[in-house]
Amino acid sequence: MSSWRSLLLRIGDKCPDYGTSSDFKEHIETCFGVIRRELEHSSDDILPFLLQCAEQLPHKIPLYGTLVGLLNLENEDFVKQMVETTQANFQDALDFGNCDMIRILMRFLTVMMCSKVLQPSSLVVVFETLLSSASTTLDEEKGNPSWQARGDFYVSCILSCLPWGGSELVEQVPEEIECVMVGIEAYLSIRRHNSDTGLSFFEDDDESGSGVVEKDFLEDLWGRIQVLSSNGWKVDSVPRPHLSFEAQLVAGKSHEFGPINAPEQPEPLSEVSGVLYGKQKHNAELKYPQRIRRLNIFPASKTEDMQPIDRFIVEEYLLDVLLFLNGCRKECASFMVGLPVPFRYDYLMAETIFSQLLLLPLPPFKPIYYTLVIMDLCKALPGAFPGVVAGAVRALFEKIADLDMECQTRLILWFSHHLSNFQFIWPWEEWAFVLDLPKWAPQRVFVQEVLEREVRLSYWDKVKQSIENAPALEELLPPKGSPNFIYSIEDGRERTEQHALSAELNNKVKGRQTAREIISWVEESVFPNHGWDVVLKVVVHTLLDIGSKSFTHLITVLERYGQVFARICPDHDKQVMLIAEVGSYWKNNAQMTAVAIDRMMGYRLISNLAIVRWVFSPANVEQFHTSDRPWEVLRNAIGKTYNRISDLRNEISSLKKSVVSAEAAAAKAKAELDAAESKLSLVDGEPVLGDNPVKLKRLKANAEKAKEEEVSVHESLEAKEALLARALDENEALFLSLYKNFSNVLMERLPDPSRARTLRELKSIQADEMTVDLDESSVMEVDNESRRPNKSQSNGGKDSNIYNVGEKEQWCLSTLGYVKAFARQYASEIWAHIEKLDADVLTENVHPLFKKAVYSGLSRPVNDVSSG
Amino acid sequence: MASLFKDLTKLSAYRDRRFPGNQEEFEQALHTSTTVYIGNMSFYTTEEQVYELFSRAGEIKKITMGLDKNSKTPCGFCFVLYYSREDTEDAMKFISGTILDDRPIRVDFDWGFQEGRQWGRGRSGGQVRDEYRTDYDPGRGGYGKLVQQELEAQRQLVDYGTGSLGSFPPVMPPPHYGRRGGHNQGGSHPQSRDYHHRKRHREDDRPPRESSKRTLDHESRRNFDPNSRPEKNPRFRESANSDDEEEDGGKQRP
């Protein structure tokens, strides 16, 4: 890397490129000194690289902005070009809805304004354009309020610029900026408060029952900006290096910023409710998602004391580092810990990362990325960060009963993985008390599932050793994982006829008989004499046992003898029994149960519908609140179905591109042929129609070949589209079956709607039953508007271990949690079939709590009664 | 991924000399491959552990354990094949350098598994890196193969008797077992591991047939049919010993 590049890249960092200096002013001077010399012959390289640095290291934007301001004094053309490029990029970002780019380029424009490269009024024009677009969106006639997410996003971008340049704007264009602020206030007064309770981390956030409405993200940001404004726009967390160069910068020439057009408004809707509104709102929120939801797990006494706006800014810095430096572990960790702010932010950093790890519906990256970042920060700040992480774990564990089900699963996966990277060290004795809790208590289930995952990542004895501070917890360790082979002959058990059949089958496999030979053996000698039940048991147990040594052994057996399973289990009913046998063989090993079922679905030996039915069979339903086992299988089955559909969609989208290019190629070849055919050429001095025959022949062949290719691409596209159509039908059937099953099992167990209108009421049923005479008052308390009820069931300060939810109630709470989680994760797929779901499942008769869980997962207003 | 700090065109510093093509084709293969190579694994790590960890980056299609070409036991590397490229990249980005079974593993793009590549390329059957190592690494069979041979020779001279030298503990504890980081060392010392009880039960409850228990464990695990001989493993039947023409390939990935 040549030196100007590394100076640009490393500006503001403590690094050898800048010697011992950590002073921003010196960094800018050094960098400017080199860049101005290089500008002459490398300006074509410098411009894109400088922009790229600003876009991907946005926490350094003030430094880059000041640098551009200084360059503006040297080379106006270069900076003019830079402004034009930025304008073009910004317009593209708006057109394509590239949220990160829009946000970051607006910050860049703001700092260029501070460095006198842009007129403040140009920036105000950008603000006004976006604000006007946002306000129009809310207008039912000219806009489409279901797209409020986009308007909110634009307004949040405007507000986000103010910490970087609010002070300059207020000083230089006070009336204009005041006008923008008034406009934002007006926007805030007409927009709908965002109450996506389906996306909150903690279950009770949505039904406090109190009149207090938590601020949504935009309202919160507005509040922070107002505090900032009343503080005279002073921000600790934003470096203002341009002030050191003010005397020079004022001489710079401001450049024109070309007009910006906000994208067109979506088509107006005929009504602002109903299915169409819901679908569009869902799409808009997918395109313009909220970046962060605050977790607020640390007590105020622990978190760093900072101005409201500083919290927002540090979060922005951290999220951008996470976004742009994924895959660069060293840089990511060092930027995370070395932000340009004059205060400590360890707790805020932990909370921000955890809020991403748990972000609903999906974090920007896979959870394993945040796992890695947390590990790296523990290593980068060995004295401070591990303790903060442990604090976060304790805080989340305290509130686990209220934590969203999906978040619980992610937390289990993260925590077990994290511990596996730190020698499984954890003060388990702190949690030994969970053994005194009922087996359905969420804290107990959490410990049990963490241990299960630890064993999978390691091995039983190792994990056993790791809990030696709380040996009683061994009770929660999974069984040792060996197969439950019912035809084992090792322990000298009595040999039955079935043992003999199993041994015979085993010999056939050893003797390399083909699947077909085994099928005929089954059909000719086993089935007629012993019946289907024996066939199933013998085949499943024996083949699985042969494949039990490892994942690869399992695959080998399924590849070779899958047809045997397919033959004996051709329909759903039999497949459900097949899965049950698999579950019986691997009853001591949840991982292998899940893997075996997943692979069998992969080889299409069992259908996703059969898996759903098995998951909802009584033996599994009984475990819904005490184990992840059935849920893991269900997650896999739906995930695999979804992956298949996504693959088809990707193939179709690339085939569509191929079709376009094949059509173009065919048309071109045809045109060349036509041109050649109609060309007059001289043959023996006579004009003849058509080019020379050799060329004609070649062109003709080309044209035919191109046409053939076009047809063939078309055919594969049609084939794939047919497959997708079928897959979507199957998907509809899957979700219908899933939600019908959910509805049925919940209907059997949920108390009468009059007794449990909210989850809070559901939770307190057992407590109420124990204190019957207080029943009235406890309900009253919940409804009491003046007092917000205890934030969490299991978080009543020192008495945090009191857990008194009844088994049936916890079963309902857990199951409703999964109802919501699946709806949320697959909301896009479910919205596509919502009419059918409304008609067949979400009818008048379903339990209101069930309906509420589905609706909240889909972010669909509950009062939004859709008549179809 | 950020393009500022990484040359995205250069995916792997390792060049497999047995790749049947030129550098350009090799790079093309790396850019489209959905296979990752995993190195520096413990010999004792199972496919199920690999599955649990790597499925967190995406749906896994296949796992191929690297085996010692003589003993047919795991020799510390494997290949994981994903369905999607994105998942493959995530595995590389987010798992490489993290701990699996107490060891920092290395994850690298791989040009694609082919039959034969599961075998160690070292002269003694394992990976080349385990030929020349001079440190004592209990997760990878003790000392390097050459050092083991030397020790064996010395030991016979002074007649210490018999025993599996590979797992003979060193006089001094290994110098840098602990890792950087906030947590202090703890847990079991590697040498105190009870190897033949350390894995899942189902692999352990068969009677010993050979003097080396560890080898036996792995033979039986690799063995497709519990009652047949090790060589009968159908996964590898076509190509056993087809791959020993040169031994450079492993020359240490970065």
PDB file of all heavy atoms in Angstrom, chain A residues 24-48:
ATOM      1  N   PHE A  24      -5.537  14.974  16.393  1.00  0.00           N
ATOM      2  CA  PHE A  24      -6.235  14.992  15.107  1.00  0.00           C
ATOM      3  C   PHE A  24      -5.695  16.082  14.194  1.00  0.00           C
ATOM      4  O   PHE A  24      -5.564  15.910  12.993  1.00  0.00           O
ATOM      5  CB  PHE A  24      -7.739  15.184  15.307  1.00  0.00           C
ATOM      6  CG  PHE A  24      -8.437  13.955  15.847  1.00  0.00           C
ATOM      7  CD1 PHE A  24      -9.714  14.049  16.373  1.00  0.00           C
ATOM      8  CD2 PHE A  24      -7.824  12.719  15.812  1.00  0.00           C
ATOM      9  CE1 PHE A  24     -10.363  12.927  16.868  1.00  0.00           C
ATOM     10  CE2 PHE A  24      -8.450  11.585  16.298  1.00  0.00           C
ATOM     11  CZ  PHE A  24      -9.735  11.696  16.837  1.00  0.00           C
ATOM     12  N   LYS A  25      -5.390  17.222  14.776  1.00  0.00           N
ATOM     13  CA  LYS A  25      -4.917  18.341  13.954  1.00  0.00           C
ATOM     14  C   LYS A  25      -3.626  17.947  13.235  1.00  0.00           C
ATOM     15  O   LYS A  25      -3.479  18.148  12.027  1.00  0.00           O
ATOM     16  CB  LYS A  25      -4.693  19.569  14.842  1.00  0.00           C
ATOM     17  CG  LYS A  25      -4.265  20.793  14.061  1.00  0.00           C
ATOM     18  CD  LYS A  25      -4.412  22.073  14.874  1.00  0.00           C
ATOM     19  CE  LYS A  25      -4.116  23.285  14.016  1.00  0.00           C
ATOM     20  NZ  LYS A  25      -2.845  23.930  14.339  1.00  0.00           N
ATOM     21  N   GLU A  26      -2.720  17.333  13.989  1.00  0.00           N
ATOM     22  CA  GLU A  26      -1.449  16.922  13.368  1.00  0.00           C
ATOM     23  C   GLU A  26      -1.686  15.860  12.309  1.00  0.00           C
ATOM     24  O   GLU A  26      -1.067  15.881  11.244  1.00  0.00           O
ATOM     25  CB  GLU A  26      -0.494  16.377  14.429  1.00  0.00           C
ATOM     26  CG  GLU A  26       0.155  17.469  15.257  1.00  0.00           C
ATOM     27  CD  GLU A  26       0.992  16.881  16.392  1.00  0.00           C
ATOM     28  OE1 GLU A  26       1.570  15.796  16.196  1.00  0.00           O
ATOM     29  OE2 GLU A  26       1.018  17.508  17.470  1.00  0.00           O
ATOM     30  N   HIS A  27      -2.592  14.933  12.594  1.00  0.00           N
ATOM     31  CA  HIS A  27      -2.888  13.887  11.609  1.00  0.00           C
ATOM     32  C   HIS A  27      -3.379  14.520  10.309  1.00  0.00           C
ATOM     33  O   HIS A  27      -2.943  14.154   9.221  1.00  0.00           O
ATOM     34  CB  HIS A  27      -3.971  12.943  12.155  1.00  0.00           C
ATOM     35  CG  HIS A  27      -3.442  11.905  13.087  1.00  0.00           C
ATOM     36  ND1 HIS A  27      -3.977  10.648  13.180  1.00  0.00           N
ATOM     37  CD2 HIS A  27      -2.425  11.945  13.975  1.00  0.00           C
ATOM     38  CE1 HIS A  27      -3.312   9.954  14.092  1.00  0.00           C
ATOM     39  NE2 HIS A  27      -2.375  10.724  14.590  1.00  0.00           N
ATOM     40  N   ILE A  28      -4.296  15.473  10.459  1.00  0.00           N
ATOM     41  CA  ILE A  28      -4.856  16.085   9.258  1.00  0.00           C
ATOM     42  C   ILE A  28      -3.771  16.837   8.495  1.00  0.00           C
ATOM     43  O   ILE A  28      -3.674  16.733   7.270  1.00  0.00           O
ATOM     44  CB  ILE A  28      -6.028  17.019   9.635  1.00  0.00           C
ATOM     45  CG1 ILE A  28      -7.210  16.174  10.146  1.00  0.00           C
ATOM     46  CG2 ILE A  28      -6.467  17.854   8.437  1.00  0.00           C
ATOM     47  CD1 ILE A  28      -8.350  16.983  10.738  1.00  0.00           C
ATOM     48  N   GLU A  29      -2.901  17.529   9.221  1.00  0.00           N
ATOM     49  CA  GLU A  29      -1.834  18.278   8.540  1.00  0.00           C
ATOM     50  C   GLU A  29      -0.888  17.333   7.805  1.00  0.00           C
ATOM     51  O   GLU A  29      -0.547  17.552   6.646  1.00  0.00           O
ATOM     52  CB  GLU A  29      -1.043  19.111   9.560  1.00  0.00           C
ATOM     53  CG  GLU A  29      -1.740  20.425   9.869  1.00  0.00           C
ATOM     54  CD  GLU A  29      -1.205  21.106  11.135  1.00  0.00           C
ATOM     55  OE1 GLU A  29      -0.446  20.454  11.895  1.00  0.00           O
ATOM     56  OE2 GLU A  29      -1.564  22.276  11.354  1.00  0.00           O
ATOM     57  N   THR A  30      -0.500  16.251   8.491  1.00  0.00           N
ATOM     58  CA  THR A  30       0.397  15.278   7.864  1.00  0.00           C
ATOM     59  C   THR A  30      -0.245  14.700   6.604  1.00  0.00           C
ATOM     60  O   THR A  30       0.364  14.651   5.527  1.00  0.00           O
ATOM     61  CB  THR A  30       0.695  14.120   8.837  1.00  0.00           C
ATOM     62  OG1 THR A  30       1.088  14.675  10.081  1.00  0.00           O
ATOM     63  CG2 THR A  30       1.754  13.202   8.293  1.00  0.00           C
ATOM     64  N   CYS A  31      -1.483  14.270   6.774  1.00  0.00           N
ATOM     65  CA  CYS A  31      -2.170  13.626   5.661  1.00  0.00           C
ATOM     66  C   CYS A  31      -2.351  14.611   4.513  1.00  0.00           C
ATOM     67  O   CYS A  31      -2.065  14.307   3.352  1.00  0.00           O
ATOM     68  CB  CYS A  31      -3.525  13.113   6.152  1.00  0.00           C
ATOM     69  SG  CYS A  31      -4.388  12.114   4.955  1.00  0.00           S
ATOM     70  N   PHE A  32      -2.776  15.810   4.847  1.00  0.00           N
ATOM     71  CA  PHE A  32      -2.987  16.835   3.828  1.00  0.00           C
ATOM     72  C   PHE A  32      -1.687  17.109   3.078  1.00  0.00           C
ATOM     73  O   PHE A  32      -1.669  17.193   1.847  1.00  0.00           O
ATOM     74  CB  PHE A  32      -3.511  18.115   4.497  1.00  0.00           C
ATOM     75  CG  PHE A  32      -3.574  19.302   3.591  1.00  0.00           C
ATOM     76  CD1 PHE A  32      -4.352  19.277   2.436  1.00  0.00           C
ATOM     77  CD2 PHE A  32      -2.836  20.450   3.876  1.00  0.00           C
ATOM     78  CE1 PHE A  32      -4.406  20.384   1.593  1.00  0.00           C
ATOM     79  CE2 PHE A  32      -2.884  21.558   3.034  1.00  0.00           C
ATOM     80  CZ  PHE A  32      -3.663  21.526   1.890  1.00  0.00           C
ATOM     81  N   GLY A  33      -0.579  17.191   3.845  1.00  0.00           N
ATOM     82  CA  GLY A  33       0.713  17.464   3.222  1.00  0.00           C
ATOM     83  C   GLY A  33       1.045  16.432   2.147  1.00  0.00           C
ATOM     84  O   GLY A  33       1.572  16.782   1.076  1.00  0.00           O
ATOM     85  N   VAL A  34       0.765  15.189   2.410  1.00  0.00           N
ATOM     86  CA  VAL A  34       1.094  14.134   1.444  1.00  0.00           C
ATOM     87  C   VAL A  34       0.090  14.119   0.295  1.00  0.00           C
ATOM     88  O   VAL A  34       0.469  14.060  -0.883  1.00  0.00           O
ATOM     89  CB  VAL A  34       1.149  12.759   2.145  1.00  0.00           C
ATOM     90  CG1 VAL A  34       1.318  11.647   1.128  1.00  0.00           C
ATOM     91  CG2 VAL A  34       2.279  12.743   3.168  1.00  0.00           C
ATOM     92  N   ILE A  35      -1.173  14.232   0.635  1.00  0.00           N
ATOM     93  CA  ILE A  35      -2.204  14.130  -0.406  1.00  0.00           C
ATOM     94  C   ILE A  35      -2.060  15.280  -1.413  1.00  0.00           C
ATOM     95  O   ILE A  35      -2.178  15.075  -2.617  1.00  0.00           O
ATOM     96  CB  ILE A  35      -3.617  14.152   0.216  1.00  0.00           C
ATOM     97  CG1 ILE A  35      -3.822  12.951   1.149  1.00  0.00           C
ATOM     98  CG2 ILE A  35      -4.692  14.179  -0.861  1.00  0.00           C
ATOM     99  CD1 ILE A  35      -4.098  11.649   0.477  1.00  0.00           C
ATOM    100  N   ARG A  36      -1.798  16.480  -0.942  1.00  0.00           N
ATOM    101  CA  ARG A  36      -1.716  17.621  -1.880  1.00  0.00           C
ATOM    102  C   ARG A  36      -0.615  17.390  -2.907  1.00  0.00           C
ATOM    103  O   ARG A  36      -0.719  17.824  -4.050  1.00  0.00           O
ATOM    104  CB  ARG A  36      -1.503  18.932  -1.124  1.00  0.00           C
ATOM    105  CG  ARG A  36      -0.077  19.087  -0.595  1.00  0.00           C
ATOM    106  CD  ARG A  36       0.014  20.107   0.481  1.00  0.00           C
ATOM    107  NE  ARG A  36       0.037  21.467  -0.049  1.00  0.00           N
ATOM    108  CZ  ARG A  36       0.461  22.498   0.665  1.00  0.00           C
ATOM    109  NH1 ARG A  36       0.905  22.313   1.905  1.00  0.00           N
ATOM    110  NH2 ARG A  36       0.452  23.703   0.153  1.00  0.00           N
ATOM    111  N   ARG A  37       0.488  16.724  -2.476  1.00  0.00           N
ATOM    112  CA  ARG A  37       1.571  16.438  -3.423  1.00  0.00           C
ATOM    113  C   ARG A  37       1.162  15.357  -4.409  1.00  0.00           C
ATOM    114  O   ARG A  37       1.505  15.382  -5.571  1.00  0.00           O
ATOM    115  CB  ARG A  37       2.816  15.970  -2.661  1.00  0.00           C
ATOM    116  CG  ARG A  37       3.626  17.083  -2.033  1.00  0.00           C
ATOM    117  CD  ARG A  37       5.049  16.609  -1.741  1.00  0.00           C
ATOM    118  NE  ARG A  37       5.082  15.387  -0.942  1.00  0.00           N
ATOM    119  CZ  ARG A  37       5.022  15.381   0.392  1.00  0.00           C
ATOM    120  NH1 ARG A  37       4.927  16.517   1.054  1.00  0.00           N
ATOM    121  NH2 ARG A  37       5.071  14.243   1.047  1.00  0.00           N
ATOM    122  N   GLU A  38       0.389  14.383  -3.900  1.00  0.00           N
ATOM    123  CA  GLU A  38       0.022  13.245  -4.753  1.00  0.00           C
ATOM    124  C   GLU A  38      -1.106  13.612  -5.715  1.00  0.00           C
ATOM    125  O   GLU A  38      -1.344  12.914  -6.706  1.00  0.00           O
ATOM    126  CB  GLU A  38      -0.450  12.067  -3.883  1.00  0.00           C
ATOM    127  CG  GLU A  38       0.603  11.479  -2.994  1.00  0.00           C
ATOM    128  CD  GLU A  38       1.663  10.710  -3.773  1.00  0.00           C
ATOM    129  OE1 GLU A  38       1.333  10.203  -4.866  1.00  0.00           O
ATOM    130  OE2 GLU A  38       2.809  10.642  -3.297  1.00  0.00           O
ATOM    131  N   LEU A  39      -1.799  14.684  -5.378  1.00  0.00           N
ATOM    132  CA  LEU A  39      -3.006  15.026  -6.121  1.00  0.00           C
ATOM    133  C   LEU A  39      -2.735  15.188  -7.607  1.00  0.00           C
ATOM    134  O   LEU A  39      -3.550  14.788  -8.444  1.00  0.00           O
ATOM    135  CB  LEU A  39      -3.584  16.337  -5.553  1.00  0.00           C
ATOM    136  CG  LEU A  39      -5.102  16.463  -5.508  1.00  0.00           C
ATOM    137  CD1 LEU A  39      -5.727  15.216  -4.933  1.00  0.00           C
ATOM    138  CD2 LEU A  39      -5.481  17.672  -4.646  1.00  0.00           C
ATOM    139  N   GLU A  40      -1.558  15.721  -7.907  1.00  0.00           N
ATOM    140  CA  GLU A  40      -1.208  16.013  -9.290  1.00  0.00           C
ATOM    141  C   GLU A  40      -1.295  14.775 -10.180  1.00  0.00           C
ATOM    142  O   GLU A  40      -1.949  14.775 -11.202  1.00  0.00           O
ATOM    143  CB  GLU A  40       0.220  16.551  -9.307  1.00  0.00           C
ATOM    144  CG  GLU A  40       0.424  17.700 -10.258  1.00  0.00           C
ATOM    145  CD  GLU A  40       1.838  18.217 -10.106  1.00  0.00           C
ATOM    146  OE1 GLU A  40       2.168  18.737  -9.004  1.00  0.00           O
ATOM    147  OE2 GLU A  40       2.614  18.052 -11.048  1.00  0.00           O
ATOM    148  N   HIS A  41      -0.627  13.692  -9.736  1.00  0.00           N
ATOM    149  CA  HIS A  41      -0.618  12.523 -10.614  1.00  0.00           C
ATOM    150  C   HIS A  41      -1.537  11.398 -10.163  1.00  0.00           C
ATOM    151  O   HIS A  41      -1.757  10.462 -10.910  1.00  0.00           O
ATOM    152  CB  HIS A  41       0.807  12.002 -10.826  1.00  0.00           C
ATOM    153  CG  HIS A  41       1.721  12.246  -9.684  1.00  0.00           C
ATOM    154  ND1 HIS A  41       2.531  13.356  -9.627  1.00  0.00           N
ATOM    155  CD2 HIS A  41       1.933  11.556  -8.547  1.00  0.00           C
ATOM    156  CE1 HIS A  41       3.199  13.337  -8.490  1.00  0.00           C
ATOM    157  NE2 HIS A  41       2.861  12.255  -7.820  1.00  0.00           N
ATOM    158  N   SER A  42      -2.086  11.446  -8.948  1.00  0.00           N
ATOM    159  CA  SER A  42      -2.927  10.317  -8.511  1.00  0.00           C
ATOM    160  C   SER A  42      -4.355  10.722  -8.192  1.00  0.00           C
ATOM    161  O   SER A  42      -5.056   9.986  -7.497  1.00  0.00           O
ATOM    162  CB  SER A  42      -2.332   9.649  -7.268  1.00  0.00           C
ATOM    163  OG  SER A  42      -0.979   9.399  -7.445  1.00  0.00           O
ATOM    164  N   SER A  43      -4.795  11.877  -8.665  1.00  0.00           N
ATOM    165  CA  SER A  43      -6.114  12.325  -8.219  1.00  0.00           C
ATOM    166  C   SER A  43      -7.212  11.329  -8.586  1.00  0.00           C
ATOM    167  O   SER A  43      -8.191  11.180  -7.860  1.00  0.00           O
ATOM    168  CB  SER A  43      -6.424  13.716  -8.762  1.00  0.00           C
ATOM    169  OG  SER A  43      -6.735  13.632 -10.125  1.00  0.00           O
ATOM    170  N   ASP A  44      -7.018  10.596  -9.691  1.00  0.00           N
ATOM    171  CA  ASP A  44      -8.039   9.616 -10.075  1.00  0.00           C
ATOM    172  C   ASP A  44      -8.128   8.450  -9.098  1.00  0.00           C
ATOM    173  O   ASP A  44      -9.155   7.780  -9.018  1.00  0.00           O
ATOM    174  CB  ASP A  44      -7.751   9.064 -11.474  1.00  0.00           C
ATOM    175  CG  ASP A  44      -8.036  10.119 -12.530  1.00  0.00           C
ATOM    176  OD1 ASP A  44      -8.625  11.163 -12.173  1.00  0.00           O
ATOM    177  OD2 ASP A  44      -7.656   9.902 -13.688  1.00  0.00           O
ATOM    178  N   ASP A  45      -7.030   8.189  -8.401  1.00  0.00           N
ATOM    179  CA  ASP A  45      -7.065   7.123  -7.396  1.00  0.00           C
ATOM    180  C   ASP A  45      -7.510   7.671  -6.042  1.00  0.00           C
ATOM    181  O   ASP A  45      -8.174   6.985  -5.271  1.00  0.00           O
ATOM    182  CB  ASP A  45      -5.670   6.497  -7.219  1.00  0.00           C
ATOM    183  CG  ASP A  45      -5.238   5.779  -8.471  1.00  0.00           C
ATOM    184  OD1 ASP A  45      -6.125   5.276  -9.198  1.00  0.00           O
ATOM    185  OD2 ASP A  45      -4.024   5.731  -8.747  1.00  0.00           O
ATOM    186  N   ILE A  46      -7.088   8.900  -5.782  1.00  0.00           N
ATOM    187  CA  ILE A  46      -7.360   9.458  -4.452  1.00  0.00           C
ATOM    188  C   ILE A  46      -8.852   9.673  -4.241  1.00  0.00           C
ATOM    189  O   ILE A  46      -9.401   9.341  -3.194  1.00  0.00           O
ATOM    190  CB  ILE A  46      -6.570  10.771  -4.250  1.00  0.00           C
ATOM    191  CG1 ILE A  46      -5.072  10.455  -4.204  1.00  0.00           C
ATOM    192  CG2 ILE A  46      -6.993  11.481  -2.978  1.00  0.00           C
ATOM    193  CD1 ILE A  46      -4.188  11.674  -4.162  1.00  0.00           C
ATOM    194  N   LEU A  47      -9.504  10.200  -5.270  1.00  0.00           N
ATOM    195  CA  LEU A  47     -10.917  10.537  -5.089  1.00  0.00           C
ATOM    196  C   LEU A  47     -11.771   9.345  -4.666  1.00  0.00           C
ATOM    197  O   LEU A  47     -12.423   9.394  -3.622  1.00  0.00           O
ATOM    198  CB  LEU A  47     -11.459  11.191  -6.367  1.00  0.00           C
ATOM    199  CG  LEU A  47     -12.814  11.864  -6.200  1.00  0.00           C
ATOM    200  CD1 LEU A  47     -12.882  13.135  -7.033  1.00  0.00           C
ATOM    201  CD2 LEU A  47     -13.959  10.954  -6.543  1.00  0.00           C
ATOM    202  N   PRO A  48     -11.730   8.256  -5.434  1.00  0.00           N
ATOM    203  CA  PRO A  48     -12.581   7.127  -4.993  1.00  0.00           C
ATOM    204  C   PRO A  48     -12.152   6.545  -3.652  1.00  0.00           C
ATOM    205  O   PRO A  48     -12.987   6.124  -2.852  1.00  0.00           O
ATOM    206  CB  PRO A  48     -12.433   6.095  -6.118  1.00  0.00           C
ATOM    207  CG  PRO A  48     -11.259   6.510  -6.910  1.00  0.00           C
ATOM    208  CD  PRO A  48     -11.079   7.977  -6.713  1.00  0.00           C
TER     209      PRO A  48
END
